[in-house]
Amino acid sequence: MAVFTPQQFKDSTKARGPMKVYMNGQRIGDLWDHPVTRTVLEANLASYEWANSPEGEPVLTTTSPLIGEKIHRYTHVCRSIEDLEAKALAGTWVAERLGTCIYRCVGLDACHSLAATTWEMDRKEGTAYHPRFIEYLKYLQKNDLSAAGALTEPRGDRKQRSSDWKDPFLSLKLVEKKADGIVVRGSKINISGAYGGHEVIVLPQSAKRAGEEDYALAFAVPADTEGLIYICQYNPLSAEREQCQSLDELGNPRFGQRETSMLVFDNVFVPWDRVFLCGEVDYAGKMVARFAQTHRMTCGGTCKVGFMNQIIGAAKLIQEMKGMENAPHINDQLIEMVTLRETVRACGLAAAFKGQEIPPGSGVYMPNDMYGNIAKLNVAPAFWRVMALAGDIAGGLPVTLPSIQDLRNPETADYVQEFLSFGSEAPTEAIMKVTKLIQNWTAGLHGVGTWHGAGPMAAQKIMLSRMADFEHDKEIVRRTLNLDQT
Amino acid sequence: MAVFTPQQFKDSTKARGPMKVYMNGQRIGDLWDHPVTRTVLEANLASYEWANSPEGEPVLTTTSPLIGEKIHRYTHVCRSIEDLEAKALAGTWVAERLGTCIYRCVGLDACHSLAATTWEMDRKEGTAYHPRFIEYLKYLQKNDLSAAGALTEPRGDRKQRSSDWKDPFLSLKLVEKKADGIVVRGSKINISGAYGGHEVIVLPQSAKRAGEEDYALAFAVPADTEGLIYICQYNPLSAEREQCQSLDELGNPRFGQRETSMLVFDNVFVPWDRVFLCGEVDYAGKMVARFAQTHRMTCGGTCKVGFMNQIIGAAKLIQEMKGMENAPHINDQLIEMVTLRETVRACGLAAAFKGQEIPPGSGVYMPNDMYGNIAKLNVAPAFWRVMALAGDIAGGLPVTLPSIQDLRNPETADYVQEFLSFGSEAPTEAIMKVTKLIQNWTAGLHGVGTWHGAGPMAAQKIMLSRMADFEHDKEIVRRTLNLDQT
Amino acid sequence: MAVFTPQQFKDSTKARGPMKVYMNGQRIGDLWDHPVTRTVLEANLASYEWANSPEGEPVLTTTSPLIGEKIHRYTHVCRSIEDLEAKALAGTWVAERLGTCIYRCVGLDACHSLAATTWEMDRKEGTAYHPRFIEYLKYLQKNDLSAAGALTEPRGDRKQRSSDWKDPFLSLKLVEKKADGIVVRGSKINISGAYGGHEVIVLPQSAKRAGEEDYALAFAVPADTEGLIYICQYNPLSAEREQCQSLDELGNPRFGQRETSMLVFDNVFVPWDRVFLCGEVDYAGKMVARFAQTHRMTCGGTCKVGFMNQIIGAAKLIQEMKGMENAPHINDQLIEMVTLRETVRACGLAAAFKGQEIPPGSGVYMPNDMYGNIAKLNVAPAFWRVMALAGDIAGGLPVTLPSIQDLRNPETADYVQEFLSFGSEAPTEAIMKVTKLIQNWTAGLHGVGTWHGAGPMAAQKIMLSRMADFEHDKEIVRRTLNLDQT
Amino acid sequence: MAVFTPQQFKDSTKARGPMKVYMNGQRIGDLWDHPVTRTVLEANLASYEWANSPEGEPVLTTTSPLIGEKIHRYTHVCRSIEDLEAKALAGTWVAERLGTCIYRCVGLDACHSLAATTWEMDRKEGTAYHPRFIEYLKYLQKNDLSAAGALTEPRGDRKQRSSDWKDPFLSLKLVEKKADGIVVRGSKINISGAYGGHEVIVLPQSAKRAGEEDYALAFAVPADTEGLIYICQYNPLSAEREQCQSLDELGNPRFGQRETSMLVFDNVFVPWDRVFLCGEVDYAGKMVARFAQTHRMTCGGTCKVGFMNQIIGAAKLIQEMKGMENAPHINDQLIEMVTLRETVRACGLAAAFKGQEIPPGSGVYMPNDMYGNIAKLNVAPAFWRVMALAGDIAGGLPVTLPSIQDLRNPETADYVQEFLSFGSEAPTEAIMKVTKLIQNWTAGLHGVGTWHGAGPMAAQKIMLSRMADFEHDKEIVRRTLNLDQT
């Protein structure tokens, strides 16, 4: 069986070679020992724990037609509508438990794109990428590996083409083609959790055209490959976690916020059996588009639903702790939150149910592109609104809350105990913790993150302007008015 | 075969007995001869035409498991998820062609509720309504009858219970129970198109409680039954149609606006074989709720999608006629319109795909209630926004447009021809007609209508507050924070 | 005293020469006798009635510094902040009483632009337009004339410059310059109420550049000038008014909807003393911009406030008639309506209070341009929202209402009386009339009209991008971060 | 002259007696030495620096009619419309420079309420509070004291009256009335910056009724009064500031976030000459209402305008650094941000310009209550939207940014330098700092804070429902329809 135990995950990450991971001006030693990097490992670890639990096993495992064994769903490329729905449900299930990123999802969505596009390339161009990728995918499945995905690049002046940039490495670039592999240099930014898993799967950032062959690259490297440097994000939530006395002071004790890093590829060598695109410019755009097609359902209609469950649950708890169950304006706000959540969930489901085999014959299923984009276009403003409403329901406290340590300091304990009680039956400590969780959402990183997961809104609008069938709509009007072709 | 031809529909409506239909202070004679009432008949007629057309036949027909024949989809009660999706698609397909109400849909949705609820009553209460209703449904199918549905009632002071009203007939009320049937008095208001079909199916307006037995009524009557009086709506669009010289002056030449009337039941007799609820107060609310469950998908996620196709198509045509294809602010508005439309379409699809057999064992399939309500909650503000955007794109002309008659009057023809041309290749007449269609939507009855189809938003919010699983969400929070039951 | 009596207004309009006014394919004779054109005359007439009433006199009259007499405020060019506030208040006061356009306002706003711009031209270019315009303004004041304003033009393909259009007359164009005046040809479209007053004041549609001298035109003509043809709008509300039996069937019995027409200038001669711009291309844009500066406060912050008063009042009445005073969701909707109304009122007031003398030294006061634009940008979506909310509060009835004639037809009177009573103390006739007024707003022309009064939103956004002081904001950031010039 | 120098402020705060200030489980010693509490002192200090600067002196000083000397505007109670406008401008001016709370404003707004209400009480009740308060105000002015204001209280179960709470001290309560003063116990929560100034002015949280005399309290105490304990907020931004190596790592280096604390009054003694309300229940509500009337303009229309200046400026800088000046979707977003900012500024101005002497004769001027409430109702959703838009414009980096220390660490410096440059001329350090400022706004505490400053939205809606003149609106409708009183 290819579903690994939590211990296997721990052992495998500890067996990795030395990695260059930097945060706040310093190199980090054991990633399990640093309070911030540890959260990424914990989130990945949980995906193994849950796959081995009675509750999570039906959600998080399936059988691989490639290796004929039970595998973790986060290594499975969808082969049917049912798979797509199961993938959507798993995304929500995991997200509501983590309250942060499931770091294996971008890598999985990248695999969908690679499976489909290498298949198509081989058929149309006579390349031999597909079998190579399938071998790689089987390797992921057999070893139940956590793979991150990496697309976004720094880029230079947006008014210029890449070829006009002074620094050609602002997109990831081929440096040398060798007999046994390729050497690449450049950077991927905003990459979720890459240092906490086993593999990093790299796709291009965008479509490429003739002359940009050196930028048309897709490949996979082990997370501990030589020349790969991780420079981590650092922000207030990092600092808070670094200096807290106990994890229960924090808004998401075990899993924390979404942790990202900038990946620097300083002349990294990639052997040919891990290269899945190298110079075929016509397929770079397809790789990105198919990743996005898969990932927009994920970001738009699944993980944010799980996050909203946390926010709505906390808002409801606070309402009850304050004794305001019957306040109509709060109930109205809760219903607005539910409406927003269910709207994006519906879009995600529609994307799954109207999913398609892409390209036909490939055996790879992807969510319906229209509804995936629609899910994303809805979720970003919806998420801000849900955060805002939670912030209103919870009163000023999410931003004025003392530390739980003040509840433990004998000089202040009685005061905090008394004056943050709401006169409620609930323990003051519970009130403070639920408020802290709301702080974590409403005064944290997730608002901005929601805009950018699966690409900015502007990208989804461009997709929509390509997919919208205005000719159909115009024809309907002509028919109604008995007009000739106008 | 039980799909009737257009001619059969015409003949059958002409064969109806004398009907009391009033509009604007006068009784109308032949409904086919009056320009306003005729639009309802035309819309129904079209449903027969299209079911007999190569394009429409796969959309609008299916096979009845009850009578074993091909029937019109608008007489078919869904028996599977596939049926629900087909029903949703048919709703959009018809709506975009009509640009107004398909008057057979409320009756069909009422049949879903009756099929499910009579089945449940018989099982739980030992009544014998279900076989009676199934006979009635077979009668509808065999004769391909158009049936309207009627729920909304005038009601008295909303702060009082019905029993406190001075006038007990502000809800439809049982007057007498006789050996061969019942006599009822009261009124149903806001009823779409009832006089243009064969049958009127009546459900209660709302849940009833003990003491309100006389209001717990469901039944069907022929549209020409004695004592049934129709008092039609009358508004600016009615007047315009009445006095136009040729139909092509109008924004929706053949099918017009949604036509409704107030149905007065002045001691109408209903034989027992057409009575499906009479005094069983516990089931009145279920009948309404199941109607709403079916109808909210219809209103929220299907017909409005078709309407928006017309509006978006017309806005796009006007953009092109003005030579403004590249104006970014208009393209942005069009994408916003598409986003709104596809969001409600996605909700409708999710409602279909997550539909259920209700009650289990009944064989009746209904859309998922959560997503149906979500569809409706989205569509009402979305529809106003789409109207508003179309009004912005089309400039001032939708409300300042001269008549096409001014294009035909030799004294003004050249001026109108020249000055409403936009300097475009498109004929001025086409420009004017497309603008007129936009007027029909943006300065017509549909905005308000969208709020109220399938009940007001407040009703959907109440449903949501019942369906929202806050306990799940609270549990998620407790788990994240390691809290005990709080 | 230069405030005319209602009788004087009537007499003066009857004394006008023959006018070519067309509607729905026919020429109209006496405009007082036609039910539709009469509404414009009634609205103008009311402005005289009210100026002579105790209630309206302080609002609608002031003293002219030009002629030293009491004049109608609608002939007064603002000379102070107090004037601007008084003008704003008058706009709301009149609008809430008319429930439609006060047709004298565009002409008055055009006078503001002409007063300022002719003053500047004379100073900078040595022209002699200003004294000529002041004479004309004194003529308006002494004779208390109603003047319409006309700017919008058909225009040709928007991707082209005017000089590339096949038909050069799609903007109003100089045909000939003569010793005693000029001859012009072209059209102005969407013009509110022009045929119902005494004068038409014409400004350019947009800025002009070198080579477009023939389009840089401003002048005034009597409404009955030769060669001026009016082709009126025609729509459902026109038809309804034409064929109603008594005015009280209508949603706005006396004043109706906003009536516009297309003005065709078929080689109209304008004597030099009525020409205020002729070829000075650099000032065409200023004339438009200053008109807009004045008019955006009017449209954005004053008349729509009055309209919303009607809508909010009617929604409140319906709520009470239904006995729903305590329904929290309706009270919430009413508060939202009030919030929207007071927001635009505040913007209008800010525009008045931060008004300026433009150009300095001219004595002409204009509203603050930033807040005028902001008022307009707020009012358009706000107005749609207020309409939508009224439509929700009033239920389905605004679009399903029978005619009052059905209340008068003995065959239906009792039914209508009973079943549209809401069980309320209020007379059914009053309920129907209030509902009809809501229909007039929510299913009428005003939504689209609100977008376009004072130009489309896109124009206001362009203005804003010019006025927004991003340099200030950037400097604030640099200071906070101790950055050098970045 | 009564405007103190920065040195005088520093000296005076250092001269304060020992204070009990707790944060994160520990007591803080010298508040100037702790990185977090210091920010409050710095913000207050800046108000003295700027009042002594050529740029700030006209904005931040005026002449007191009470002491006849030049004073700091933040000790001046408005006595005219001009004062109200000057106060609004000062609020924006200071806020855009601080990028956080000006901690003197709540105290000043409390003084407005006390000046008006003590005046009224004395006249109506024969009390002698007003001269006592005026003496206190003169003391503030002469010594240029920074005064915080404190209203919000923990409160118990919201479904109960205070008298039913198990713990009567969940609102601040009189413990004992003595010859020389009173003793109070309880807490004020969410109090901005109180420990950083000289005085704390206390008003009731809400209206009181007979039986709640012990809760009807207003008074002032020195910040270092005995028995007053401050328990500070603690959150991720606190932690980040505590452990940063240099302030320029932070998003608002000098002034930080808004710092609040919970004030515990553990049997605090207040001498009579500092007591301004004690038991007069009828005036408790007025004190709150008048504070809110003053403070809603401040929160709604002034300080948030300054904050938005920072956010808009940073978004514009990032746009330019990326070379995206011409991207229409970003320009559209910037214009939306400007529209939102100017809308709330207009509401603030309208509130000032339509301000009134309250109560008449008192000499105290307050902003117009309608427009102050409208400002607040607009600003809260507007602020969230502005934050969200900035987050979209700035890309993912605001939440994925490494520390500036990574730019200084030689092992990573070159990578960060290269890959966060956007290929821009701007230094990478500047790019990172501007991004950090955006992080500070979009992933910080201000969103939630905006809801709650000047009370929650629900409170403003309640005010609006009292102020909205529905009778006027109904009358307008009756007049239009010639209805009798309905």
Side-chain angles (χ1 to χ4, degrees), chain A residues 22 234 243 266 411 415 451, chain D residues 22 234 243 266 388 411 415:
Chain A
Y22 294 89
Y234 192 77
Q243 76 171 42
D266 196 354
E411 295 178 62
Y415 299 134
W451 284 126
Chain D
Y22 295 89
Y234 191 78
Q243 76 172 42
D266 194 352
E411 294 179 61
Y415 299 133

Side-chain angles (χ1 to χ4, degrees), chain A residues 304-440:
Chain A
K304 300 305 180 295
V305 172
F307 294 172
M308 292 193 218
N309 287 353
Q310 280 212 1
I311 304 176
I312 293 170
K316 186 74 189 168
L317 280 168
I318 286 289
Q319 180 198 34
E320 294 171 355
M321 287 164 167
K322 282 186 181 169
M324 299 185 77
E325 299 88 332
N326 302 323
H329 71 285
I330 295 186
N331 287 324
D332 217 50
Q333 290 176 314
L334 286 165
I335 289 306
E336 184 180 344
M337 293 161 96
V338 169
T339 302
L340 292 166
R341 180 186 64 192
E342 299 305 326
T343 298
V344 299
R345 181 159 19 206
C347 294
L349 284 174
F353 288 126
K354 302 299 282 184
Q356 290 166 298
E357 190 187 31
I358 287 181
S362 66
V364 180
Y365 270 69
M366 293 192 179
N368 180 284
D369 210 7
M370 173 62 87
Y371 300 121
N373 275 280
I374 290 293
K376 176 70 206 295
L377 284 167
N378 274 286
V379 86
F383 203 81
W384 280 93
R385 181 70 181 154
V386 166
M387 292 188 343
L389 289 168
D392 195 11
I393 291 171
L397 219 48
V399 294
T400 64
L401 191 70
S403 168
I404 294 240
Q405 295 302 338
D406 295 307
L407 189 62
R408 294 171 182 164
N409 177 355
E411 295 178 62
T412 50
D414 289 348
Y415 299 134
V416 174
Q417 182 67 44
E418 177 178 8
F419 294 123
L420 294 185
S421 71
F422 299 153
S424 162
E425 297 303 312
T428 295
E429 184 168 328
I431 292 173
M432 292 178 76
K433 286 183 172 174
V434 174
T435 304
K436 186 76 188 176
L437 182 141
I438 293 179
Q439 181 190 92
N440 189 59

